[in-house]
Amino acid sequence: MSPTLEKFVDRLPIMKVLQPNHRTKNGPYYEVRMEEFRQKLHRDLPPTRLWGYNRQFPGPTFEVKQDEPIRVRWTNHLPNRHILPIDGSVHNVANEPQVRTVVHLHGSETKPDSDGYPEAWFTNGFKETGPSFSREVYEYPNHQRATTLWYHDHAMGITRLNVYAGLAGMYIIRNEHEKALHLPSGKYEIPLLIQDRSFNQDGSLAYPRQPDDAAANLPNPSIVPAFNGDTILANGKVWPYLEVEPRKYRFRVLNGSNTRSYQLMLDSGQPFYQIGSDGGLLKNTVKIEQIGVEPAERVDVIVDFSKLKGKTVVMKNNLGANADPDDPTGDIMQFRVTKPLSRKDTSKIPRHLSRIPSLKQNNITAIRQLKLVGSTDEYDRPLLLLDNKKWHDPVTEKPELGTTEIWSLVNVTNFTHPIHIHLVQFQVLDRRPFDLERYNQDGKIDYTGTATAPAPNERGWKDTIAAPSAQITRVIAKFAPYTGDYVWHCHILEHEDYDMMRPFTVIDPDE
Ligand code: C2O
Ligand code: CU
Ligand code: CU
């Protein structure tokens, strides 16, 4: 358990915007270094040893223009021993160098060799590389809608540890259409990267070596099936506060936690005006009091503080009616409406935001039934799988380039899994409940209700979607514009690492 830490004593940091090393005729070029460093995460904690991009936690924010490609050379300058407990029994990790990294730009439409394939890892100085490694410099086309993406480590079998150590940051794509909407901008537009962590007394990150009730035969270290930290950080500070003016603010919220999902709400009873989801602006603004955010999901919201001069507002994580009211993770951060209004607030909350063409009009080439299933491994540990297959099983999902498919995610486990597909932004079709008890007896799907349309704030572009227990969640995606090897997985990092991740290949039928 973390030492007791007073809430709302540190100011919310804002990540620095990354500047390109130079500009070429091919666009901006960046070099980003992964290093070990120490940073103070709370007033009363000694500095924490972290791994981060350019010695920052979270990493610096990329600001790019739609359709202006950039190149990034990600380099690893980390020590060769990991700071967190590695379980060598998953994915043969024991035979690989301990400290391996590969960067994935989550939500981006990127060629496979720049997508951060889990086996395209590399070590310090590129001395050793994984079997899929092919290049040092990654290219991001930014040929997609303006939105909030994020970059994070994706190395095979240790993603949960690398991200927990600090390897994550935000990436914003901007365009003219969005600018013309007069949303709150400049210092009134704030990225909020929310994560949970636990700490030891000395300020170091705490992460379990083994599950709590570990049987004697388990490997040591042994992967845990879930991790929930006991403190909440925003932009790298534990329970920070932000002084705001009585006006509208835009927050680009990202859940960058390993396992924890959040139910965001404001204790002032005010609504959020949600304007965007993972893949960009929604069609219309959605007024919403509580927003569920699964790991890796982004929600773009406007909060209006204009009538709250002198008040404080806490952004809460609603833990539900049965939760312990003293659970500190029910708070995220605090807003203090103490700053004077610097100038008139002319920003807008537009009713209509963007056009979203429905993929349902497309010709559907394949409908895939994909089960999210639980089983156990040789040590009797939970082993969560996609369609009963492990990472190393042969590729079974091979969409053809340019075709549209429906993926039916049949969740026969007891909890929600946030499912993420690389390369594409998809749309949610519906969710339909079925009788899980019956399924567990005879393997039959017996529907217990009709299919329901996604919530209004899920009706935009998504790359990660909550697939709840005992429901079939259907998503529709067009597999373009690149061919090659990608992955899809549960974004609970403890699940992704073992073994809820699968390759998929976009194939060109004419080749
Ligand atoms: Cu955010 Cu495959 O990852
Ligand atoms: Cu991704
Ligand atoms: Cu999962």
Side-chain angles (χ1 to χ4, degrees):
M1 256 227 317
S2 298
T4 309
L5 297 171
E6 200 179 323
K7 289 176 177 169
F8 317 133
V9 296
D10 292 287
R11 195 186 300 267
L12 177 83
I14 309 288
M15 289 75 85
K16 281 197 196 120
V17 173
L18 190 65
Q19 297 306 321
N21 292 57
H22 53 260
R23 289 176 191 275
T24 67
K25 60 176 189 314
N26 300 321
Y29 174 88
Y30 301 80
E31 296 233 354
V32 180
R33 300 167 62 91
M34 292 172 239
E35 284 181 74
E36 179 172 304
F37 60 100
R38 282 170 200 269
Q39 187 174 310
K40 251 181 103 63
L41 305 186
H42 183 276
R43 185 192 66 190
D44 301 330
L45 271 184
T48 301
R49 177 155 68 140
L50 297 162
W51 288 1
Y53 299 102
N54 284 0
R55 308 182 74 86
Q56 291 160 53
F57 169 67
T61 300
F62 284 82
E63 292 260 1
V64 304
K65 285 195 214 128
Q66 184 182 49
D67 285 319
E68 182 177 74
I70 67 163
R71 287 174 304 140
V72 185
R73 184 163 179 263
W74 304 97
T75 58
N76 174 334
H77 307 269
L78 296 165
N80 48 27
R81 290 192 66 86
H82 212 290
I83 56 173
L84 295 166
I86 291 183
D87 178 347
S89 74
V90 310
H91 289 297
N92 241 348
V93 153
N95 303 320
E96 284 167 351
Q98 269 198 9
V99 180
R100 293 165 286 124
T101 56
V102 61
V103 187
H104 169 56
L105 178 56
H106 179 122
S108 74
E109 296 173 11
T110 302
K111 282 191 186 150
D113 58 0
S114 292
D115 194 51
Y117 200 72
E119 289 171 337
W121 49 261
F122 51 91
T123 61
N124 187 322
F126 299 102
K127 273 187 227 83
E128 289 180 81
T129 56
S132 301
F133 178 88
S134 66
R135 60 193 299 156
E136 292 184 9
V137 179
Y138 275 18
E139 288 175 12
Y140 301 116
N142 302 317
H143 181 60
Q144 61 188 97
R145 288 163 68 108
T147 191
T148 311
L149 306 177
W150 65 301
Y151 60 97
H152 62 78
D153 197 76
H154 215 303
M156 197 69 211
I158 53 169
T159 293
R160 70 192 182 290
L161 306 173
N162 287 355
V163 172
Y164 193 74
L167 292 167
M170 289 176 109
Y171 187 108
I172 297 173
I173 304 178
R174 298 187 182 279
N175 73 359
E176 290 305 313
H177 167 75
E178 193 176 295
K179 212 171 177 182
L181 290 174
H182 296 289
L183 303 167
S185 63
K187 52 183 174 167
Y188 311 116
E189 180 203 319
I190 292 176
L192 277 186
L193 201 169
I194 301 172
Q195 295 175 305
D196 60 346
R197 292 289 183 271
S198 294
F199 298 98
N200 300 310
Q201 295 296 330
D202 65 357
S204 59
L205 292 172
Y207 189 90
R209 275 189 79 81
Q210 286 197 314
D212 278 344
D213 43 4
N217 69 327
L218 284 198
N220 187 8
S222 176
I223 190 167
V224 293
F227 171 81
N228 286 300
D230 57 14
T231 71
I232 309 293
L233 290 76
N235 296 352
K237 282 285 183 195
V238 178
W239 292 305
Y241 70 87
L242 176 69
E243 292 174 297
V244 296
E245 299 178 20
R247 60 159 64 230
K248 297 189 279 304
Y249 280 75
R250 175 182 185 181
F251 297 102
R252 298 175 181 260
V253 182
L254 157 66
N255 178 1
S257 308
N258 282 28
T259 294
R260 186 183 286 279
S261 62
Y262 299 82
Q263 289 290 333
L264 306 180
M265 52 180 247
L266 299 165
D267 72 346
S268 52
Q270 283 173 278
F272 296 101
Y273 296 91
Q274 187 173 341
I275 55 172
S277 56
D278 304 336
L281 292 174
L282 296 169
K283 181 165 183 274
N284 296 315
T285 298
V286 175
K287 187 175 171 186
I288 182 169
E289 247 122 66
Q290 192 167 312
I291 310 181
V293 197
E294 295 289 330
E297 283 190 304
R298 284 88 69 210
V299 295
D300 199 340
V301 296
I302 296 175
V303 176
D304 188 356
F305 297 109
S306 60
K307 297 197 178 70
L308 294 168
K309 206 169 156 186
K311 300 251 166 25
T312 60
V313 178
V314 174
M315 186 189 272
K316 306 281 287 185
N317 172 25
N318 185 356
L319 299 169
N322 302 322
D324 173 3
D326 296 326
D327 184 338
T329 63
D331 289 324
I332 298 171
M333 65 170 292
Q334 183 194 54
F335 302 100
R336 300 180 184 165
V337 195
T338 47
K339 284 187 158 178
L341 192 63
S342 58
R343 60 187 142 87
K344 194 164 168 258
D345 182 5
T346 54
S347 68
K348 303 253 170 9
I349 306 180
R351 205 184 72 81
H352 179 73
L353 297 159
S354 76
R355 276 189 35 146
I356 300 195
S358 166
L359 292 179
K360 275 193 271 190
Q361 283 15 293
N362 296 5
N363 194 8
I364 311 294
T365 319
I367 299 181
R368 299 179 194 273
Q369 284 259 351
L370 301 159
K371 280 189 188 132
L372 320 182
V373 296
S375 66
T376 50
D377 70 2
E378 76 237 62
Y379 304 104
D380 223 27
R381 296 181 294 188
L383 173 64
L384 291 150
L385 298 175
L386 297 172
D387 226 31
N388 263 318
K389 295 180 195 82
K390 296 190 180 182
W391 167 257
H392 287 292
D393 288 322
V395 182
T396 41
E397 280 62 61
K398 297 178 185 168
E400 288 182 7
L401 179 67
T403 63
T404 303
E405 299 195 353
I406 293 176
W407 288 23
S408 275
L409 307 167
V410 185
N411 186 348
V412 299
T413 73
N414 289 316
F415 30 84
T416 298
H417 299 275
I419 299 298
H420 170 48
I421 309 176
H422 283 217
L423 175 68
V424 297
Q425 290 288 333
F426 53 75
Q427 291 173 357
V428 188
L429 288 177
D430 49 32
R431 292 193 181 87
R432 190 163 184 193
F434 62 90
D435 185 345
L436 186 53
E437 253 169 61
R438 158 115 203 240
Y439 175 85
N440 287 333
Q441 279 158 19
D442 63 10
K444 296 242 160 58
I445 298 285
D446 185 7
Y447 290 111
T448 53
T450 52
T452 52
N457 67 331
E458 292 179 326
R459 292 181 197 168
W461 293 103
K462 298 283 296 163
D463 55 49
T464 308
I465 189 66
S469 169
Q471 295 190 37
I472 297 183
T473 302
R474 296 197 312 151
V475 301
I476 183 168
K478 181 175 172 186
F479 290 87
Y482 305 116
T483 56
D485 297 330
Y486 294 94
V487 302
W488 67 288
H489 57 89
C490 175
H491 219 290
I492 292 178
L493 301 182
E494 283 70 19
H495 296 178
E496 170 181 341
D497 276 345
Y498 190 55
D499 209 28
M500 221 176 178
M501 175 164 73
R502 288 281 295 153
F504 76 90
T505 305
V506 181
I507 55 169
D508 183 346
D510 302 327
E511 256 170 24

